[in-house]
Amino acid sequence: MGVFIHLNVSNKVSPEQWEKAYEETLTLVEKFNLVEYDEIKKFDRKIYCLTHSKEREINGRLGWLTIGDGTFLRTAEDHFLPRRIPESDPTEEYADPLMYVLAQHGIVNFENPSINNLHEYFGSKTQGEPYHMALLAIGCLLDDRLNGEAICSGDITYGQCYYAIEEANRYLKTPIKTPLRCDLNRLFERVSKLPIENEKRILTFEATYLGPKNKEYFDFIEQRFDESAKRDFVRAKLNGNGLGTYGFSRSIRDILAYPIPVSVVCEEFVAMNPESLLGNDKTGNPYEMFLNHILETNIHVQKKDLHNCLDVDEASGETMCVEKQFASVFLMGARNKNVDRFVPLDELKQQLASVIGTKCDVEKIVEEYLKKNASARPDNCTLLNDVHDKFNAEQKAEKEKYDIADYNHLPFYEKGDSICPKLLEQIKEWIEFYKAATKEEYYAEISKKKFEEMFKYFALQNKNLRLMKDTWEKIFKNIETHPEKFERYYPMVRVSINSDGVQDLVRAYVENDEFYEFCQTL
């Protein structure tokens, strides 16, 4: 499990086209302050550090590599982009990078020949760290410059794309335009040419379209796809999911969001041999279970809450994080089942009865469902949303009231900045713990030794502390010229860097002189 970003390029792109677009990525690598690992060698020892990413030869290939950003010093896995790509083989079949997106959604196999002919870059975990947005901006740049022949996919949203593009355009002479996957008309034209079975037409368009699933999108579907395509879509969504499962519930919710008559959904369900969709014990009325799946979407309720805190806000620049991914799995039952569509109850019952009225008592099932849920307590989704929203509101209020309300802004502390009281208490406790390390016998011993021994101490002890190369060099110069200042830095590799919060505190203490002076007053 993790947060990924992928970049796939078609075999139609020539080395000359690629290199011209690649040149512009170097500007964004610099402006977005991307970093990679480096090392400082002294006295037959090495200290690992971070340094600004730059074009260099890596494993025999010229290009650039990054593992994070140099502003917040958040890192994850490395991503490499080469200056040169291979010359295309004229005998190769054209490979559209959209095919990779379809493979990610299980619509085609990764062994598909079209996918094998693609140039694949990035593809590692970003874990939603800040450099995720920089990589996406670079992907959108290549998408634009190569006319949609370079496509980003993975854990990305249209909101992220627009935010990344807005940031990137501040540094580029020629602005990046809307990515292919966010443009309904351009995408439809491309998808129509993909080597995909007809019955997967809407499924393919849904998987590749990154934009909002709003009225414009559904009106577009209504205009461009006939009833046959809509029926194919329903069958494809329902196939492979058993009644009573989360998968079936999610599929029904996805289907009902589309302007497809409920009666059509029922007809396709009936044609699937509903008894075969029951569990291993084969108990229960499949039609009643199917009807309950529809009712739990609250399609018959005009005003309903569609908020789901387990999902990323696709309209914003919010990125997915590993913690939210885990929560979405373990709290799966708390997902919002409401669908953004309204069908009046009488009309809904009429459509249901017209197809499955002879299979079950639609009126009775609906009445029992409504009675059961009329006085029900708030569901798990509502309770979770309330807790989540309350926490976010408190966090927002603190950020508006204080200059610094969280750990990741401590490295940027300026004299006179106000700090949230709860955070300040934690800083006081931490400083006391941090300084206690200088009471160790080893500190008294090594603080009297030469700089060489001090350097070897840092090289031996440092395991997880992330600092830029120039910060380390500044620290070493400080210690070498003023040995008494070793006291400030000795504990930084003795404390356990077991969270980003501790990383930010240590970094602020050893890197930011104004924060260090402030801490001496606590």
Side-chain angles (χ1 to χ4, degrees), residues 203-300:
L203 202 64
T204 295
F205 191 73
E206 178 191 57
T208 52
Y209 182 62
L210 203 59
K213 303 297 194 296
N214 54 16
K215 186 178 185 302
E216 181 186 10
Y217 169 79
F218 292 118
D219 286 348
F220 187 88
I221 294 293
E222 185 72 11
Q223 296 165 9
R224 298 301 183 99
F225 295 95
D226 58 19
E227 183 177 345
S228 174
K230 294 169 188 173
R231 287 181 177 273
D232 290 337
F233 173 71
V234 173
R235 284 195 295 272
K237 279 285 186 179
L238 294 180
N239 189 36
N241 292 305
L243 285 162
T245 65
Y246 170 77
F248 196 93
S249 177
R250 185 64 181 262
S251 293
I252 286 293
R253 179 175 176 268
D254 290 346
I255 292 168
L256 294 181
Y258 283 76
I260 300 173
V262 176
S263 58
V264 169
V265 181
C266 291
E267 289 169 1
E268 293 306 321
F269 172 72
V270 171
M272 292 179 69
N273 184 17
E275 285 75 12
S276 67
L277 301 177
L278 292 170
N280 293 330
D281 56 4
K282 300 298 180 183
T283 59
N285 184 323
Y287 300 98
E288 182 175 344
M289 295 173 71
F290 171 71
L291 205 157
N292 276 287
H293 275 298
I294 291 178
L295 291 172
E296 70 182 8
T297 67
N298 282 324
I299 191 172
H300 57 284

Side-chain angles (χ1 to χ4, degrees), residues 61-285:
R61 302 179 72 187
L62 187 63
W64 56 261
L65 179 145
T66 183
I67 50 92
D69 79 291
T71 302
F72 293 99
L73 300 192
R74 295 289 191 263
T75 61
E77 296 182 346
D78 61 87
H79 294 75
F80 174 73
L81 197 71
R83 170 175 280 276
R84 300 180 181 89
I85 62 172
E87 188 78 50
S88 298
D89 183 345
T91 64
E92 275 185 356
E93 183 179 339
Y94 168 62
D96 192 315
L98 288 174
M99 292 294 288
Y100 192 89
V101 181
L102 299 185
Q104 290 175 319
H105 285 79
I107 297 173
V108 299
N109 295 321
F110 278 102
E111 292 75 21
N112 190 294
S114 295
I115 294 174
N116 293 333
N117 293 338
L118 291 170
H119 303 298
E120 297 183 33
Y121 304 112
F122 299 168
S124 298
K125 298 173 186 175
T126 66
Q127 305 302 52
E129 300 294 4
Y131 82 128
H132 176 98
M133 298 300 287
L135 292 172
L136 180 56
I138 289 168
C140 290
L141 167 68
L142 294 170
D143 178 323
D144 182 61
R145 302 310 193 245
L146 298 173
N147 299 315
E149 296 297 338
I151 295 292
C152 267
S153 61
D155 298 296
I156 62 175
T157 66
Y158 71 91
Q160 289 178 28
C161 287
Y162 289 131
Y163 177 81
I165 289 171
E166 183 179 2
E167 290 296 302
N169 282 345
R170 293 165 54 193
Y171 310 115
L172 298 170
K173 294 179 180 179
T174 304
I176 302 171
K177 298 186 288 295
T178 301
L180 172 69
R181 294 187 62 195
C182 296
D183 188 314
L184 284 168
N185 290 293
R186 287 174 59 217
L187 181 65
F188 179 79
E189 185 178 342
R190 272 280 287 277
V191 166
S192 300
K193 299 174 183 177
L194 293 177
I196 299 296
E197 300 93 327
N198 281 338
E199 58 267 26
K200 295 181 179 179
R201 286 173 292 171
I202 297 181
L203 202 64
T204 295
F205 191 73
E206 178 191 57
T208 52
Y209 182 62
L210 203 59
K213 303 297 194 296
N214 54 16
K215 186 178 185 302
E216 181 186 10
Y217 169 79
F218 292 118
D219 286 348
F220 187 88
I221 294 293
E222 185 72 11
Q223 296 165 9
R224 298 301 183 99
F225 295 95
D226 58 19
E227 183 177 345
S228 174
K230 294 169 188 173
R231 287 181 177 273
D232 290 337
F233 173 71
V234 173
R235 284 195 295 272
K237 279 285 186 179
L238 294 180
N239 189 36
N241 292 305
L243 285 162
T245 65
Y246 170 77
F248 196 93
S249 177
R250 185 64 181 262
S251 293
I252 286 293
R253 179 175 176 268
D254 290 346
I255 292 168
L256 294 181
Y258 283 76
I260 300 173
V262 176
S263 58
V264 169
V265 181
C266 291
E267 289 169 1
E268 293 306 321
F269 172 72
V270 171
M272 292 179 69
N273 184 17
E275 285 75 12
S276 67
L277 301 177
L278 292 170
N280 293 330
D281 56 4
K282 300 298 180 183
T283 59
N285 184 323

Side-chain angles (χ1 to χ4, degrees), residues 319-386:
T319 57
M320 177 58 80
C321 61
V322 177
E323 292 79 10
K324 181 169 279 193
Q325 278 192 333
F326 274 111
S328 66
V329 172
F330 291 113
L331 300 175
M332 190 179 295
R335 281 190 172 277
N336 197 330
K337 298 177 181 178
N338 291 342
V339 66
D340 189 12
R341 181 182 171 190
F342 172 60
V343 177
L345 185 59
D346 288 340
E347 181 183 338
L348 177 65
K349 288 191 290 186
Q350 183 180 5
Q351 290 195 50
L352 292 167
S354 67
V355 181
I356 61 174
T358 59
K359 309 290 186 180
C360 62
D361 190 336
V362 172
E363 189 72 36
K364 181 181 178 182
I365 294 171
V366 172
E367 285 183 8
E368 289 179 350
Y369 178 88
L370 295 177
K371 183 178 180 181
K372 178 182 177 181
N373 291 275
S375 58
R377 295 183 303 168
D379 60 17
N380 292 333
C381 178
T382 301
L383 294 173
L384 186 62
N385 281 341
D386 289 346

